[in-house]
Amino acid sequence: MMGAIHLLPGSHFSNIFERGDLDAEAEAVMTLGELETWLALEITGSYHARVHSVLEKTPSAAWAAQADEIKLRMPVDLRQFLVDLLPSEQRVLQRDGLHLFHIRYWADELRWLMGRESRKFTLKYDPRDLSRIFVLTENGIIEARPADLTRPAVTLWEHRAARRALREAGRRSVDEELIFRTIETQRDLVDSAERQTKAIRRHQARRAHLAPLPMIDVTPDAAARDALPAPEGEGSPFLSHPGFKVEEWYEDD
């Protein structure tokens, strides 16, 4: 599976000697979501359909043969199953909530934990969506949201990019408001660039037929004109031809 992944544009290999001078970030063409989709297709549509050297059959066929004999155990709690696979951080519950990645999180259930020993709680988070975190307690999972409910959902990568931009701008101290404002500004720039890119591509496609081509010589040939008699009468194929269908093109937005 890793051999197939290393064939993708942007793969930088794990060995620095194999990597060489490859600029993986410049060569990459797939987003994380596209990579996840590609990997799922590689597993379900390619690997499962190939004959396994040990099984001597395809994995999907081996699964189907045993599925009726072995009882499958599925996760009872899908949210717990998700939380178990998420990365985690340790944080102390403060009087105003939990602070993670410069974002203050709160849930009404947290008030019942106030005043206890100042131990650290395990916080589970999804890097693809920081609009909620999961707090692990003895009585179960508490789902906390940003205390400011107007905050948009952001990814951890956007958050890091915003902090990096603020540091480069000379901001030594950053706060939640500044980070989210920077993320929204960066999103506007990306959206504007994307619209501009699409407009440029559309404009180039419209002008593709105007590319310079060799000029056709349309100077009348006197000899050829005299050799071809002019069409006369209704029986002439030139006069009786109904004509060709004409396409009408209109400018769109």
Side-chain angles (χ1 to χ4, degrees):
M1 192 63 62
M2 291 306 301
I5 290 178
H6 282 317
L7 295 177
L8 295 175
S11 174
H12 57 71
F13 303 97
S14 57
N15 189 313
I16 60 174
F17 299 103
E18 294 179 356
R19 185 182 311 171
D21 297 330
L22 175 67
D23 187 347
E25 186 170 347
E27 296 292 333
V29 298
M30 301 177 72
T31 64
L32 182 60
E34 292 169 341
L35 177 60
E36 290 177 345
T37 302
W38 180 92
L39 186 58
L41 292 173
E42 178 68 16
I43 295 173
T44 61
S46 180
Y47 175 78
H48 283 177
R50 290 197 302 264
V51 176
H52 196 278
S53 59
V54 177
L55 299 175
E56 296 184 346
K57 62 177 67 174
T58 64
S60 60
W63 175 276
Q66 298 292 325
D68 296 333
E69 302 176 9
I70 301 176
K71 184 178 180 180
L72 302 179
R73 294 190 302 112
M74 301 299 292
V76 178
D77 187 342
L78 292 180
R79 188 179 74 158
Q80 181 67 58
F81 182 69
L82 167 66
V83 171
D84 289 341
L85 297 175
L86 293 178
S88 64
E89 291 284 347
Q90 300 286 322
R91 291 292 186 274
V92 174
L93 177 59
Q94 302 181 25
R95 297 184 63 181
D96 59 349
L98 292 162
H99 293 253
L100 182 65
F101 304 125
H102 293 273
I103 304 174
R104 183 169 69 91
Y105 290 91
W106 177 254
D108 289 339
E109 296 86 347
L110 293 177
R111 69 179 66 220
W112 304 111
L113 301 177
M114 294 288 186
R116 298 188 180 183
E117 69 278 5
S118 58
R119 67 180 182 87
K120 291 185 177 181
F121 288 90
T122 299
L123 312 182
K124 293 277 192 167
Y125 65 93
D126 187 345
R128 300 166 299 181
D129 184 1
L130 297 181
S131 64
R132 63 176 178 174
I133 61 174
F134 304 95
V135 186
L136 305 188
T137 70
E138 294 85 352
N139 298 322
I141 300 175
I142 296 177
E143 185 173 318
R145 300 276 180 172
D148 187 345
L149 298 179
T150 64
R151 300 300 187 199
V154 300
T155 68
L156 181 58
W157 297 276
E158 286 180 305
H159 185 279
R160 288 173 175 170
R163 291 193 61 192
R164 185 165 55 250
L166 291 172
R167 286 197 302 269
E168 293 175 354
R171 297 269 187 172
R172 291 185 175 273
S173 61
V174 297
D175 55 27
E176 181 177 332
E177 175 65 28
L178 189 57
I179 288 175
F180 276 94
R181 192 163 64 243
T182 302
I183 291 176
E184 291 178 352
T185 302
Q186 290 174 328
R187 284 181 174 180
D188 291 340
L189 289 173
V190 172
D191 292 341
S192 176
E194 184 179 14
R195 287 194 299 270
Q196 183 179 8
T197 300
K198 290 181 178 178
I200 291 175
R201 290 173 58 189
R202 185 167 59 246
H203 185 59
Q204 291 175 341
R206 288 172 176 168
R207 295 187 298 128
H209 67 287
L210 299 178
L213 298 173
M215 183 63 69
I216 300 176
D217 188 2
V218 294
T219 304
D221 189 344
R225 182 183 56 190
D226 297 338
L228 293 175
E232 297 180 359
E234 297 181 356
S236 171
F238 297 100
L239 297 179
S240 60
H241 194 281
F244 297 96
K245 183 179 179 180
V246 178
E247 294 185 10
E248 296 185 2
W249 292 59
Y250 299 93
E251 283 289 331
D252 55 359
D253 294 335

